[in-house]
Amino acid sequence: MAGNSFGEIFRITTFGESHGKAIGVVIDGCPAGLEVDMEFIAQQLQRRKPGQSAITTQRKESEAFEIISGIFEGKTEGSPITMLIRNEDQKPQDYEHLKEAYRPSHADFTYETKYGIRDYRGGGRSSARETAARVMAGAMAQLLLTKEGISISAYVSQVGNLKLEKDYSELNLSATDSNPVRCPDEATARQMIELIEATKAKGDTIGGIVSAVIQGCPVGLGEPVFDKLHADLAKAMLSINAVHGFEYGSGFKGSSKYGSENNDIYTTDANKKIITTTNHSGGIQGGISNGMDIYFNVAFKPVATLMQPQMTVTKEGAETEIKGKGRHDPCVVPRAVPIVEAMAALVIADHLLRLRSAKW
Amino acid sequence: MAGNSFGEIFRITTFGESHGKAIGVVIDGCPAGLEVDMEFIAQQLQRRKPGQSAITTQRKESEAFEIISGIFEGKTEGSPITMLIRNEDQKPQDYEHLKEAYRPSHADFTYETKYGIRDYRGGGRSSARETAARVMAGAMAQLLLTKEGISISAYVSQVGNLKLEKDYSELNLSATDSNPVRCPDEATARQMIELIEATKAKGDTIGGIVSAVIQGCPVGLGEPVFDKLHADLAKAMLSINAVHGFEYGSGFKGSSKYGSENNDIYTTDANKKIITTTNHSGGIQGGISNGMDIYFNVAFKPVATLMQPQMTVTKEGAETEIKGKGRHDPCVVPRAVPIVEAMAALVIADHLLRLRSAKW
Amino acid sequence: MAGNSFGEIFRITTFGESHGKAIGVVIDGCPAGLEVDMEFIAQQLQRRKPGQSAITTQRKESEAFEIISGIFEGKTEGSPITMLIRNEDQKPQDYEHLKEAYRPSHADFTYETKYGIRDYRGGGRSSARETAARVMAGAMAQLLLTKEGISISAYVSQVGNLKLEKDYSELNLSATDSNPVRCPDEATARQMIELIEATKAKGDTIGGIVSAVIQGCPVGLGEPVFDKLHADLAKAMLSINAVHGFEYGSGFKGSSKYGSENNDIYTTDANKKIITTTNHSGGIQGGISNGMDIYFNVAFKPVATLMQPQMTVTKEGAETEIKGKGRHDPCVVPRAVPIVEAMAALVIADHLLRLRSAKW
Amino acid sequence: MAGNSFGEIFRITTFGESHGKAIGVVIDGCPAGLEVDMEFIAQQLQRRKPGQSAITTQRKESEAFEIISGIFEGKTEGSPITMLIRNEDQKPQDYEHLKEAYRPSHADFTYETKYGIRDYRGGGRSSARETAARVMAGAMAQLLLTKEGISISAYVSQVGNLKLEKDYSELNLSATDSNPVRCPDEATARQMIELIEATKAKGDTIGGIVSAVIQGCPVGLGEPVFDKLHADLAKAMLSINAVHGFEYGSGFKGSSKYGSENNDIYTTDANKKIITTTNHSGGIQGGISNGMDIYFNVAFKPVATLMQPQMTVTKEGAETEIKGKGRHDPCVVPRAVPIVEAMAALVIADHLLRLRSAKW
């Protein structure tokens, strides 16, 4: 109801403010008996962590997470799993100047108006710091998916006007993490890095797109009519800070197509399994996975905090100038890759459990 | 859980199959005391109804809806509101040939695999017939919104490659219903109609885009962090049959922008109200409405049922040819306009009620 | 949120007012593939129906229910199941005198104050007529339970001061329906009937207790810590009109006991299955079923509508006299037996589905 | 779904095992702007704390709670409030002997069967240690209720066969905490203490009843038809460890009454407010509060851990003897008083927020 929970059976609730004591997550509904790979969770957090390279924010966030509950002798025990990261390296003085002014295209104004109170330190609850909690929870979900043979791979496919024109099937997705911008095409990656560095040098920021593919899903994930698999993926993605758009399968381009171009014809593979010859449906038909690859794009707007002066108003409506202090990302998409994967994993894990109730 | 409900406080559950006895909706959580304008509900249904013009399906659906519960002496009484439309003009024989074969890009295969059973008559539960229930419920929500001074206007902005390049602010949205394609620009509308007619003549179908704008929202709608207003709008839109994409504010184009271009600067209007000078944020910041117009695009793929032969397989995996019989839309977007409005209204009504719990 | 739904996975929403067009229920989450025994549903409705005997209300309710959706070729298809009973034999004139006055111990005053509007005809939404919808849904749930070897038997164990002192294990529960008061002990039943008749003759009403036993449950039903199986049963029972109390296992009597008396010692049966030697725990330990019989008592207050004059006030607070008109039960417990069974079945069916997500 | 959350708008999720790192709670949906009285929360925890007197367990639990999130400058900020208590004074060796054996009338057997894994240290998640999280959350809810003029008072009304025969209206409820058994009648309290001490001396335990009264509620709390206020109170109470029964208003005794005895006649008070002359309805009619006092009884079974040898079986079904080690309560009701108050506060706070959506 108050919006801090996600999922129906595999259900997470995140908590914590950017400059409060800690951020964290409770997972309620993770089945018992799953071995917890702490290394894997740490690794996912590491991928989201600021300060990994010259093109990301230099804020130093602790990577140390603590499991508070729900794990017994290395396995999930069926009770709520709580994970916590203490906030460190806080520089609240970097935010003191924001106490009175509303940062453009941030949540300062809307939060203060809605709640009558605002934690102005780094955006408080509205900070992307919250996504670390999602990454921890998503890593737990991914542990389940791995056991089911399901993999999720996200990567950067656009930064500013630089578009990776290749389809995911033409890319070596295991190369995604080999460069700091997380674009699996080395040549494009180099250009993207240059663009981000140039943008940063101007004190500006730039938008981009993360693409993702989910492979190995069984037929049957997704619930008609409102909880269609792609509807839940859309919500998951749009709930990530700075996301302004989502498309799956043929997406916006599909709107220009004829049905005779866009339809996916059924056939059978060598094992007599029913497949489609094309996959404009993006692995989902009628809201339910059909066993083909699920792929989608997530559009991120440019980061709102600029290292340039911008005009704004105070609470009282007086004009004032503001300029970003501290440490911020010039482009959010490289660090968004593990966040997109985490949210996708949460959706799939939840629907895997929901599928268990489809038949008697 | 099983996906047939939408909303948290203003919560609807739809039911019914395309060729079952009836389709309908229960609204639980509509506040008491609202006067019910039956004419308005009928009118919205009429707008969604097939057979309105030469460019839509000729299936004759009854427009007669019945209110079963929840209304007393013309007002909502706080109990569940149930609305029903009996299915008529059914031609199940049009579907007999689908008993064994899976229609390409339809839900036949996924439903049958998920549930082990399938109502093959017109798609059963997966049919867009279900959206009539949404339109009735959405009309109830719109009655609330009207009282709050909130209006929702959707219109067709693209059919195939024909794009309406104007922004909503340059259009006369009251003209939307003046032509059968529901594009408020008369010249573009004419072209679109021609394109749809030509497509229909070939037995083909074509995709398109519906754009929408919500005006008059208070500041504060939307819940951090998962139930961001745009995340709920995205889910609402992606849950509509044939939708493959959603973007709001600067959307996918915003991914190409610099922060300095995309940010919305705060200022005050003549009444000292805080507003933004531009609105790339699409009226939502940090997931919460900021009082500016909310606008978004919804991408529809081409209708999957073609009046051309297509190859497919049977349940047993044998190849077979299939061809649409009966009455189908060559392009779904004109009739999707009231559906997009209905889903948007449901999201806004729900968040208006949720906002009531934000402060003590 | 607005309270008309029950259950998490096997989830029902009831709708309809006592003197509206119809009452009904939507079941969302009933697994696909279940054969629907229409005869059984009709039979359960018949058991709840007024006018069965001299000791129940003579209101004639239609027994004709209609399945609107969710069933295809005699089986559940995984989509919402909607069942409807049209209201007939309405005598709204019997209620005209209630338009202004609040009936004592009814919901008239609280509904009108909460909602600002009230359907005064027979209590509107607050009428026990609503329980017919529960009985239909519960019958669907019972069809599932039967397949799992689970049975539910309720019976009347007290009317006024007449208590059946025997434990359920000493009773022949198949005899419950052999008399109109639904007490399986024939001698006690006769006394109860006499008491009810005498009460009716005075224009008065009388309370009673329904006891129930659920047999054949697997170990594992119930979710720690809030959705303990007995907590959900308690809520289910207290949600039935006129119920004022619930106890399971050793219940209120257990509060007088020593631990050494009340504990259930584990042992094994002939098949090496772990069982308990006694069952003061009522088949539930730590909120989770342990495989033993689940039994509980449900306390009903006397029906509030009397055929005697009672003082009350009008909306404006003026004193006035009121007297029941029409047709009312002198004692509600005989007809409550199938309602208790239905609500218990809904709880168990829901937890059977929830159990499917306990382990990976 | 997995049962660790409670409430719809004011919604809590508790987490933590008895001998894990910590226990805690996330409150999502607490309105913004509420001043947080840390002293009051500490005080409520103190009342639940073991080791307060000779008649409670001597386990030393830390009383130190930490607020992790959701509070800014002393006020709730509308984001999730997380509270944590680190577990200390753990003596896991006290539980080593339970690794293989199932304690009678505990959750050991049911948890292990349900989840395939069991934290045997002090009951793990099933331990009443979890109720400390409820008390913290309940204290937050009580802060809201106090602002609305609503008070909740629970007290011990029965220990074993010692019953306090007085009605709450005859008692001085402010005296409840003046004795360790929390019975507001001094003479009865003394007898109860003696009984508990004698029971403890035998290594035995004993059950009891907690009664409670809620005063100052507005008319309108509770939602028809399933979320009746008393149904939610029943579930709340039955979800507390060791509770076997709940009754409100005339309760089980009401089942023996005639309608003419049990009905509450409406009248008006000096201020023309509509009240009832009696209150057998326990302040709730049709599931909705009527403004009168809400009162109820909660039956607790005797604590299952005895300091006497008991027979049981191992996982493999082998017979074995078991005896409580460590520190346990001989009678749980004195410490249950603040837990009952906390759960009642959570129900009322939630329904206060739900009431905000009743009318347009």
Side-chain angles (χ1 to χ4, degrees):
Chain A
M1 257 295 310
N4 296 287
S5 298
F6 186 81
E8 294 283 317
I9 297 186
F10 193 101
R11 183 169 177 86
I12 70 167
T13 302
T14 71
F15 55 83
E17 287 78 41
S18 175
H19 288 68
K21 289 200 176 175
I23 57 129
V25 63
V26 182
I27 307 171
D28 196 22
C30 183
L34 183 78
E35 273 180 63
V36 180
D37 181 342
M38 302 288 280
E39 201 48 56
F40 178 73
I41 301 171
Q43 202 177 308
Q44 294 308 307
L45 275 178
Q46 190 66 30
R47 293 175 73 211
R48 194 211 73 99
K49 201 186 148 186
Q52 300 167 59
S53 76
I55 61 166
T56 58
T57 168
Q58 297 306 304
R59 173 173 171 170
K60 285 187 192 69
E61 290 179 8
S62 166
E63 60 196 298
F65 72 99
E66 182 188 16
I67 296 190
I68 295 285
S69 70
I71 310 296
F72 184 63
E73 297 181 344
K75 285 188 176 172
T76 59
E77 52 176 308
S79 60
I81 300 167
T82 308
M83 299 194 268
L84 215 67
I85 306 175
R86 293 275 163 184
N87 288 327
E88 292 169 17
D89 189 36
Q90 296 168 15
K91 304 193 176 172
Q93 66 278 20
D94 282 359
Y95 298 100
E96 197 62 31
H97 66 301
L98 301 177
K99 206 167 170 172
E100 299 304 324
Y102 297 134
R103 291 171 301 166
S105 289
H106 270 285
D108 300 347
F109 167 64
T110 52
Y111 270 59
E112 184 150 338
T113 307
K114 182 181 179 100
Y115 297 114
I117 185 174
R118 170 170 66 100
D119 180 352
Y120 55 84
R121 301 164 308 166
R125 181 68 183 151
S126 73
S127 167
R129 174 80 176 128
E130 183 264 346
T131 56
R134 302 179 181 210
V135 168
M136 289 190 285
M140 282 296 307
Q142 279 171 287
L143 291 173
L144 297 187
L145 302 194
T146 301
K147 288 212 176 293
E148 302 289 308
I150 300 169
S151 70
I152 300 177
S153 307
Y155 58 94
V156 170
S157 62
Q158 186 175 331
V159 171
N161 280 312
L162 290 170
K163 289 193 199 190
L164 179 59
E165 298 291 357
K166 292 174 187 161
D167 187 75
Y168 75 86
S169 59
E170 304 166 69
L171 298 167
N172 172 16
L173 296 182
S174 66
T176 297
D177 276 19
S178 64
N179 59 64
V181 79
R182 290 206 172 94
C183 172
D185 184 83
E186 207 43 54
T188 312
R190 268 194 301 273
Q191 290 178 289
M192 287 173 170
I193 293 168
E194 275 169 38
L195 176 54
I196 295 173
E197 284 171 343
T199 302
K200 186 184 174 184
K202 291 187 293 182
D204 211 338
T205 61
I206 195 155
I209 293 181
V210 174
S211 296
V213 55
I214 309 173
Q215 295 174 301
C217 283
V219 183
L221 302 182
E223 299 289 329
V225 295
F226 294 106
D227 298 353
K228 290 184 164 88
L229 189 59
H230 56 264
D232 279 355
L233 284 169
K235 173 161 178 167
M237 297 308 146
L238 268 293
S239 79
I240 300 173
N241 306 47
V243 174
H244 269 219
F246 171 87
E247 59 178 0
Y248 83 104
S250 57
F252 275 88
K253 273 180 202 147
S255 297
S256 311
K257 302 283 188 204
Y258 288 106
S260 54
E261 296 171 289
N262 196 66
N263 274 3
D264 297 314
I265 300 305
Y266 285 110
T267 185
T268 50
D269 69 7
N271 305 314
K272 298 280 179 197
K273 202 182 113 185
I274 294 174
I275 58 167
T276 59
T277 54
T278 52
N279 186 17
H280 305 300
S281 301
I284 303 173
Q285 288 171 331
I288 297 173
S289 64
N290 68 357
M292 305 297 288
D293 292 350
I294 296 167
Y295 61 95
F296 54 87
N297 296 319
V298 186
F300 288 80
K301 68 165 190 172
V303 171
T305 302
L306 311 185
M307 295 297 148
Q308 299 173 353
Q310 296 179 91
M311 290 308 297
T312 190
V313 296
T314 64
K315 192 174 176 172
E316 286 72 32
E319 294 215 336
T320 183
E321 201 184 78
I322 205 166
K323 187 182 160 181
K325 285 188 190 174
R327 304 144 299 177
H328 299 278
D329 286 284
C331 180
V332 84
V333 284
R335 288 177 54 216
V337 165
I339 304 169
V340 165
E341 290 174 355
M343 290 308 300
L346 290 167
V347 171
I348 301 298
D350 190 37
H351 278 285
L352 275 168
L353 292 169
R354 293 169 77 171
L355 181 55
R356 294 184 178 184
S357 298
K359 293 181 204 165
W360 192 251
Chain B
M1 258 292 312
N4 296 288
S5 299
F6 186 80
E8 294 283 318
I9 298 186
F10 194 101
R11 185 171 176 85
I12 69 167
T13 302
T14 70
F15 54 84
E17 288 77 40
S18 176
H19 289 67
K21 290 199 177 176
I23 58 129
V25 63
V26 182
I27 306 172
D28 196 21
C30 183
L34 184 77
E35 274 180 62
V36 180
D37 181 342
M38 302 289 278
E39 201 47 56
F40 179 73
I41 301 172
Q43 200 177 310
Q44 295 307 306
L45 275 177
Q46 189 67 28
R47 293 176 72 212
R48 196 212 72 98
K49 201 185 148 188
Q52 304 167 55
S53 75
I55 62 167
T56 60
T57 169
Q58 297 307 303
R59 173 174 170 167
K60 285 190 192 66
E61 289 179 7
S62 166
E63 60 196 303
F65 71 100
E66 180 188 17
I67 296 190
I68 294 286
S69 68
I71 310 295
F72 184 64
E73 297 180 344
K75 286 188 175 173
T76 59
E77 52 176 307
S79 61
I81 300 166
T82 307
M83 300 194 267
L84 215 67
I85 306 175
R86 293 275 162 181
N87 288 326
E88 293 170 17
D89 188 37
Q90 297 166 18
K91 304 196 176 170
Q93 66 278 20
D94 281 359
Y95 298 100
E96 197 62 30
H97 66 301
L98 302 176
K99 204 168 171 172
E100 298 305 323
Y102 297 134
R103 290 170 300 165
S105 289
H106 271 284
D108 301 347
F109 168 65
T110 54
Y111 269 59
E112 182 148 342
T113 309
K114 181 179 180 103
Y115 297 113
I117 183 174
R118 170 168 66 99
D119 180 350
Y120 55 83
R121 303 164 306 168
R125 181 68 183 150
S126 73
S127 167
R129 174 81 175 127
E130 183 265 344
T131 56
R134 301 181 182 211
V135 168
M136 290 190 283
M140 282 296 307
Q142 278 171 285
L143 292 174
L144 298 187
L145 302 194
T146 300
K147 289 211 175 294
E148 302 288 308
I150 300 168
S151 68
I152 300 177
S153 307
Y155 58 95
V156 170
S157 61
Q158 186 176 331
V159 171
N161 280 312
L162 290 170
K163 289 192 200 189
L164 178 60
E165 298 292 357
K166 292 175 187 161
D167 187 75
Y168 73 86
S169 57
E170 305 166 68
L171 297 167
N172 171 16
L173 297 181
S174 65
T176 297
D177 276 19
S178 64
N179 60 64
V181 79
R182 292 208 170 95
C183 171
D185 184 84
E186 206 46 52
T188 313
R190 269 193 301 272
Q191 291 179 290
M192 288 172 170
I193 293 168
E194 275 169 37
L195 176 55
I196 295 173
E197 284 171 344
T199 303
K200 187 184 174 186
K202 290 188 293 181
D204 212 338
T205 62
I206 194 154
I209 292 181
V210 174
S211 296
V213 56
I214 309 173
Q215 295 175 302
C217 283
V219 184
L221 301 181
E223 300 290 326
V225 295
F226 294 107
D227 297 354
K228 292 182 163 92
L229 189 59
H230 55 264
D232 279 356
L233 284 168
K235 174 161 176 168
M237 297 307 145
L238 267 293
S239 78
I240 300 173
N241 304 46
V243 174
H244 269 219
F246 171 87
E247 59 179 359
Y248 83 103
S250 55
F252 275 89
K253 274 181 201 146
S255 296
S256 310
K257 302 283 187 202
Y258 288 106
S260 56
E261 297 171 289
N262 196 66
N263 274 1
D264 296 315
I265 301 306
Y266 284 111
T267 186
T268 50
D269 68 7
N271 305 314
K272 296 281 179 196
K273 202 181 114 185
I274 294 174
I275 58 168
T276 58
T277 54
T278 52
N279 186 17
H280 304 300
S281 300
I284 303 173
Q285 288 172 329
I288 297 172
S289 64
N290 68 357
M292 305 296 290
D293 292 350
I294 296 167
Y295 61 94
F296 55 87
N297 297 319
V298 186
F300 289 78
K301 68 165 191 171
V303 172
T305 303
L306 310 185
M307 295 297 149
Q308 300 174 353
Q310 296 178 91
M311 290 308 297
T312 189
V313 296
T314 64
K315 193 175 176 172
E316 287 72 31
E319 294 214 337
T320 184
E321 202 184 78
I322 206 166
K323 188 183 159 182
K325 286 189 190 175
R327 305 144 297 177
H328 300 277
D329 286 286
C331 180
V332 83
V333 284
R335 286 178 54 216
V337 165
I339 304 170
V340 164
E341 289 174 354
M343 290 308 299
L346 290 166
V347 171
I348 301 299
D350 191 37
H351 277 285
L352 275 169
L353 292 169
R354 292 169 78 170
L355 180 56
R356 294 184 177 184
S357 297
K359 293 181 202 165
W360 194 252
Chain C
M1 256 294 309
N4 296 287
S5 298
F6 186 80
E8 295 282 318
I9 297 184
F10 193 101
R11 184 170 177 86
I12 70 165
T13 302
T14 70
F15 55 84
E17 288 77 42
S18 175
H19 289 67
K21 289 201 177 174
I23 59 130
V25 64
V26 182
I27 307 172
D28 196 21
C30 183
L34 184 78
E35 274 180 62
V36 180
D37 181 341
M38 302 289 279
E39 201 46 57
F40 179 73
I41 301 172
Q43 201 177 307
Q44 295 307 307
L45 274 177
Q46 189 66 29
R47 293 175 73 211
R48 196 211 72 98
K49 201 186 149 186
Q52 302 167 57
S53 75
I55 61 167
T56 59
T57 168
Q58 296 307 303
R59 172 172 171 170
K60 283 188 194 69
E61 290 179 6
S62 165
E63 61 196 302
F65 71 100
E66 181 188 17
I67 296 190
I68 295 285
S69 70
I71 309 295
F72 184 64
E73 298 181 344
K75 285 188 176 173
T76 59
E77 51 176 309
S79 61
I81 301 165
T82 307
M83 300 194 268
L84 215 67
I85 306 175
R86 294 275 161 183
N87 287 326
E88 293 169 17
D89 188 36
Q90 297 167 17
K91 304 196 177 171
Q93 67 278 21
D94 283 358
Y95 298 100
E96 197 62 30
H97 66 302
L98 302 176
K99 205 168 172 173
E100 298 304 323
Y102 297 134
R103 290 171 299 165
S105 289
H106 271 284
D108 301 347
F109 168 64
T110 54
Y111 269 58
E112 183 149 340
T113 308
K114 181 180 180 100
Y115 297 113
I117 184 175
R118 170 168 67 99
D119 180 351
Y120 55 83
R121 302 164 306 167
R125 181 67 183 149
S126 73
S127 166
R129 174 82 175 126
E130 183 265 345
T131 56
R134 303 180 182 211
V135 168
M136 289 190 284
M140 282 296 307
Q142 278 171 286
L143 292 173
L144 297 186
L145 303 194
T146 301
K147 288 212 174 293
E148 301 289 308
I150 300 169
S151 68
I152 299 177
S153 306
Y155 57 94
V156 170
S157 61
Q158 186 176 331
V159 170
N161 280 311
L162 290 171
K163 289 190 199 191
L164 178 60
E165 297 292 356
K166 291 174 188 162
D167 187 74
Y168 74 85
S169 57
E170 305 165 69
L171 297 166
N172 172 16
L173 296 181
S174 66
T176 297
D177 276 18
S178 65
N179 60 63
V181 79
R182 291 209 171 94
C183 172
D185 185 85
E186 207 45 52
T188 312
R190 269 194 300 273
Q191 290 178 290
M192 288 173 170
I193 292 168
E194 276 170 36
L195 176 56
I196 294 173
E197 284 172 343
T199 302
K200 187 183 173 185
K202 289 188 294 181
D204 211 338
T205 63
I206 194 155
I209 293 180
V210 174
S211 296
V213 55
I214 309 173
Q215 294 175 302
C217 283
V219 184
L221 302 181
E223 299 291 327
V225 294
F226 293 107
D227 298 353
K228 291 183 164 92
L229 189 58
H230 55 264
D232 279 355
L233 284 168
K235 173 161 177 168
M237 297 307 145
L238 269 293
S239 78
I240 300 172
N241 304 47
V243 174
H244 269 218
F246 171 86
E247 60 179 358
Y248 83 104
S250 56
F252 274 89
K253 274 182 201 146
S255 296
S256 310
K257 302 282 187 202
Y258 288 106
S260 55
E261 296 171 289
N262 196 67
N263 275 3
D264 296 315
I265 300 306
Y266 285 111
T267 186
T268 51
D269 69 7
N271 305 314
K272 296 283 180 194
K273 202 182 114 185
I274 294 174
I275 57 167
T276 59
T277 53
T278 52
N279 186 18
H280 304 299
S281 301
I284 303 173
Q285 288 172 330
I288 298 171
S289 64
N290 68 357
M292 306 296 289
D293 292 351
I294 296 167
Y295 61 93
F296 55 87
N297 296 320
V298 186
F300 289 79
K301 68 165 190 171
V303 171
T305 302
L306 310 186
M307 295 296 149
Q308 299 174 354
Q310 295 179 91
M311 290 308 296
T312 189
V313 296
T314 66
K315 194 175 175 172
E316 287 70 32
E319 294 215 336
T320 184
E321 201 184 76
I322 205 167
K323 187 181 158 181
K325 287 189 191 174
R327 306 143 297 176
H328 299 277
D329 285 285
C331 181
V332 83
V333 285
R335 287 178 53 216
V337 164
I339 305 169
V340 164
E341 290 174 356
M343 290 307 300
L346 290 166
V347 170
I348 300 299
D350 191 38
H351 278 284
L352 275 168
L353 291 169
R354 293 169 78 171
L355 180 56
R356 293 184 178 184
S357 296
K359 294 181 201 164
W360 194 252
Chain D
M1 255 295 309
N4 296 287
S5 298
F6 187 80
E8 294 283 318
I9 297 186
F10 194 101
R11 183 169 175 85
I12 70 167
T13 302
T14 71
F15 55 83
E17 288 77 41
S18 175
H19 289 68
K21 289 199 177 175
I23 58 130
V25 63
V26 182
I27 306 172
D28 196 21
C30 183
L34 183 78
E35 274 181 63
V36 181
D37 182 342
M38 303 288 280
E39 202 47 57
F40 179 73
I41 302 171
Q43 200 178 311
Q44 295 307 307
L45 274 177
Q46 190 66 29
R47 292 175 73 211
R48 195 212 72 99
K49 201 186 148 187
Q52 302 167 55
S53 76
I55 62 166
T56 60
T57 167
Q58 297 306 303
R59 174 175 170 169
K60 285 189 191 68
E61 290 179 6
S62 166
E63 60 197 300
F65 72 99
E66 183 187 15
I67 295 189
I68 295 286
S69 70
I71 310 295
F72 184 63
E73 297 182 343
K75 286 188 175 172
T76 59
E77 52 177 308
S79 60
I81 301 167
T82 309
M83 300 194 267
L84 214 67
I85 305 175
R86 293 276 163 183
N87 288 326
E88 292 170 18
D89 190 38
Q90 296 167 17
K91 303 195 176 171
Q93 66 277 20
D94 282 359
Y95 298 100
E96 198 61 32
H97 67 300
L98 302 177
K99 206 168 169 171
E100 299 304 324
Y102 297 134
R103 290 170 300 165
S105 289
H106 271 284
D108 301 348
F109 167 65
T110 53
Y111 269 58
E112 185 149 340
T113 308
K114 181 180 181 102
Y115 297 114
I117 184 174
R118 170 169 66 99
D119 180 351
Y120 55 84
R121 302 164 305 166
R125 181 67 184 150
S126 73
S127 166
R129 174 81 176 128
E130 183 265 344
T131 56
R134 303 180 182 210
V135 168
M136 289 189 285
M140 282 296 307
Q142 279 171 285
L143 291 173
L144 297 187
L145 302 194
T146 301
K147 289 211 176 292
E148 301 289 308
I150 300 168
S151 69
I152 300 177
S153 307
Y155 58 93
V156 170
S157 62
Q158 185 174 332
V159 171
N161 279 312
L162 291 170
K163 289 193 198 189
L164 179 60
E165 298 291 357
K166 292 175 187 161
D167 186 75
Y168 75 86
S169 58
E170 305 166 68
L171 297 167
N172 171 16
L173 296 182
S174 66
T176 297
D177 275 19
S178 65
N179 61 63
V181 79
R182 292 209 170 93
C183 172
D185 183 85
E186 206 46 51
T188 313
R190 268 195 300 275
Q191 290 178 291
M192 287 173 171
I193 293 168
E194 274 170 38
L195 176 55
I196 295 173
E197 284 172 345
T199 302
K200 186 184 174 186
K202 290 187 293 182
D204 212 337
T205 62
I206 194 154
I209 292 180
V210 174
S211 297
V213 56
I214 309 174
Q215 294 174 303
C217 283
V219 183
L221 302 181
E223 299 291 328
V225 293
F226 294 107
D227 298 353
K228 292 183 164 91
L229 189 58
H230 55 263
D232 278 356
L233 284 169
K235 174 161 176 168
M237 297 307 146
L238 268 293
S239 79
I240 301 173
N241 305 48
V243 173
H244 270 218
F246 170 87
E247 59 178 1
Y248 83 104
S250 57
F252 275 88
K253 273 181 201 147
S255 297
S256 309
K257 302 282 189 205
Y258 288 107
S260 54
E261 297 172 289
N262 195 66
N263 274 3
D264 296 315
I265 301 306
Y266 285 111
T267 185
T268 51
D269 69 7
N271 304 314
K272 297 282 179 196
K273 203 182 112 185
I274 294 174
I275 58 168
T276 58
T277 53
T278 52
N279 186 18
H280 304 300
S281 301
I284 303 173
Q285 288 171 329
I288 298 174
S289 64
N290 68 357
M292 306 296 290
D293 293 349
I294 296 166
Y295 60 94
F296 55 85
N297 297 319
V298 186
F300 289 79
K301 69 165 190 170
V303 171
T305 302
L306 311 185
M307 295 296 147
Q308 299 174 353
Q310 296 178 90
M311 290 308 296
T312 188
V313 297
T314 65
K315 193 174 175 173
E316 286 72 32
E319 294 214 336
T320 184
E321 201 184 80
I322 206 166
K323 186 183 159 180
K325 285 189 190 174
R327 303 145 299 177
H328 299 278
D329 286 285
C331 180
V332 84
V333 285
R335 286 178 54 215
V337 165
I339 304 169
V340 164
E341 289 174 355
M343 291 308 300
L346 289 166
V347 170
I348 301 298
D350 191 38
H351 278 284
L352 275 169
L353 291 169
R354 294 169 77 170
L355 180 55
R356 293 184 179 185
S357 297
K359 293 181 202 164
W360 192 254

